[in-house]
Amino acid sequence: MADTLSPEVALRIGLAARALPDTDPKRLINVLVQALGLPITPAKLGRLKVARLKVAADGELGDIEHEHLKTAVNLLKGIGVPVEDTPEPLPEVQPYSEGDMPGSIRVACASNHETRVDGHFGSCARFLIYQVSDREVRLIAIRKTGLAPEEVDKNVFRADLIADCQLLYTVSIGGPAAAKVVRAGLHPIKLPNGGEAAELLDDLKNVIGHNPPPWLAKAMGVDARERIRFTQTEEEFA
């Protein structure tokens, strides 16, 4: 089936599948065949509606949240699909060696554009990896997500990309994906309005330096007895 798709349609389907929890291109193609018939063309995809995608193939995708289906339909229509011949300039990565920033934590930011937190966990183009201490915010890596191997769960694949981080900043993440992120050792934080990573992480930097809440202290590796102290201090000012 994949051999009969044009490169443009194949790209749209691949990106749309990334936007849907627990969905690979093969699963999405099967639904699209039921919804649109063969061949799958850009013109047919341009007329696709969320409601049609939701009920096709006996409701195969019916349990997926409307927000994810809407994102996928837009990608299938070509909305938001990157143009390969005009690559977006990426921010400059700064050198970092373990131990450079004592007391710091590592944060993955789901991003589609430059230094913004504007991506969904399951469909973002890349993760910006920042090291954050109470004194500094440093971009130390940029990890492109790409497509997961067919035999690997998409959300597990993405969680593994950022498994060395303690926090995840993302515009949105579904329940099953969040569970896999937590199992990988990260604390996911949803920021529906997104924003510039540097500004959001500057706020985090201030929290690190001024009595972090217990969940953040845990991510920082603070001893359990010290985390009790943070809780007591919060209660005093409640």
Side-chain angles (χ1 to χ4, degrees):
M1 171 65 68
D3 294 339
T4 67
L5 302 175
S6 71
E8 178 185 355
V9 168
L11 174 61
R12 293 187 192 183
I13 291 174
L15 293 173
R18 282 167 42 181
L20 297 173
D22 304 315
T23 301
D24 58 20
K26 182 178 179 181
R27 183 188 185 197
L28 181 55
I29 287 172
N30 289 336
V31 175
L32 289 172
V33 169
Q34 294 295 319
L36 304 174
L38 290 173
I40 301 174
T41 65
K44 288 182 178 179
L45 291 174
R47 296 190 294 270
L48 183 63
K49 304 292 184 182
V50 172
R52 180 58 183 155
L53 188 65
K54 192 167 186 175
V55 301
D58 296 323
E60 171 71 17
L61 305 179
D63 292 336
I64 295 178
E65 295 178 6
H66 180 84
E67 177 186 358
H68 295 303
L69 291 172
K70 183 178 179 181
T71 299
V73 167
N74 282 337
L75 289 167
L76 290 168
K77 292 180 176 181
I79 301 170
V81 174
V83 180
E84 294 299 327
D85 59 357
T86 56
E88 182 178 355
L90 295 177
E92 184 176 351
V93 173
Q94 299 170 278
Y96 175 79
S97 297
E98 294 297 336
D100 281 355
M101 299 168 61
S104 63
I105 62 173
R106 192 163 297 171
V107 184
C109 297
S111 178
N112 290 318
H113 302 96
E114 297 183 337
T115 56
R116 290 190 59 78
V117 178
D118 61 357
H120 300 258
F121 173 76
S123 61
C124 65
R126 63 189 67 91
F127 292 110
L128 307 174
I129 310 299
Y130 288 87
Q131 200 73 20
V132 184
S133 71
D134 61 347
R135 297 184 178 183
E136 185 181 356
V137 175
R138 190 184 303 183
L139 177 64
I140 65 169
I142 298 174
R143 297 173 188 166
K144 295 183 179 180
T145 51
L147 293 175
E150 191 169 318
E151 69 278 7
V152 178
D153 178 271
K154 177 185 68 175
N155 293 323
V156 171
F157 174 77
R158 286 177 170 250
D160 285 346
L161 284 177
I162 55 175
D164 59 330
C165 301
Q166 287 79 49
L167 301 183
L168 165 67
Y169 278 13
T170 180
V171 169
S172 178
I173 183 170
K180 289 164 186 172
V181 166
V182 170
R183 279 199 291 272
L186 289 88
H187 183 96
I189 297 176
K190 290 198 290 187
L191 302 168
N193 296 322
E196 279 293 328
E199 296 176 6
L200 296 169
L201 294 172
D202 201 50
D203 293 338
L204 177 63
K205 180 181 73 173
N206 293 331
V207 173
I208 290 175
H210 296 87
N211 197 34
W215 67 266
L216 180 54
K218 181 179 180 181
M220 293 166 59
V222 174
D223 181 84
R225 288 170 295 183
E226 286 296 297
R227 296 203 298 271
I228 293 173
R229 178 178 64 82
F230 290 137
T231 302
Q232 290 172 339
T233 304
E234 286 182 337
E235 290 173 351
E236 290 173 4
F237 288 94

